[in-house]
Amino acid sequence: YEIKECDWSSDVCSSDLQDLERRLGREVRIENDANCFALSEAVDGAGSGAPVVFGVILGTGVGGGVCIGCRAIEGINAIAGEWGHNPLPGLEAEDEPIPRCHCGRLGCVEAYLAGPRFEAQFTQRTGRTLKAADIVAAAAAGDAVAEACLARYEARLARALAVVINILDPHVIVLGGGMSNTRDRKST
């Protein structure tokens, strides 16, 4: 059973949701993946017991969720924690040219930190086309350019998370998604 991506408050999607509930024989609740990730980590994951948890998803996109007291916080516009479409702070010369995000804005965190963007940046710099995991493996094998690209990615991630820390001051930040597995932290 496939449900297209849509605004769940619309009549069309509402009927899809009702159809899904009928087929499953139970209530179905829809929630943002980053909020679910943050809640899971706050309840019984890496943020268990922490009063304020910020969950970060670094994958094909960049998202985030906020949990306070083991409750997901959505905000009035249901975008609490969605830091991916804020501008990357502290732009440096190596951040140029400023990329256009798929949302239409220039310089969004997602335009720098999403996995496909990391791969594209590597290709621009080297002329080689590799998947993120292969870039990480090349860096681990001593490829200096791959290591520099990975270090630049990590520096950008640190700058972006610094803004979250300054605004939210979470007790725990949990990283998830494919790009969160870029390096064995025990070796760095």
Side-chain angles (χ1 to χ4, degrees), residues 136-157:
V136 172
D143 182 321
V145 177
E147 176 59 34
C149 287
L150 188 56
R152 186 170 47 259
Y153 180 88
E154 292 169 339
R156 289 170 174 164
L157 176 58

Side-chain angles (χ1 to χ4, degrees), residues 6-20:
C6 63
D7 174 4
W8 287 100
S9 64
S10 75
D11 290 339
V12 172
C13 289
S14 179
S15 67
D16 282 343
L17 184 59
Q18 290 169 356
D19 184 42
L20 183 59

Side-chain angles (χ1 to χ4, degrees), residues 18-38:
Q18 290 169 356
D19 184 42
L20 183 59
E21 288 177 333
R22 183 183 54 72
R23 288 176 184 240
L24 295 174
R26 64 181 55 205
E27 178 185 10
V28 174
R29 296 181 187 182
I30 304 298
E31 183 56 79
N32 174 282
D33 62 338
N35 291 348
C36 291
F37 170 71

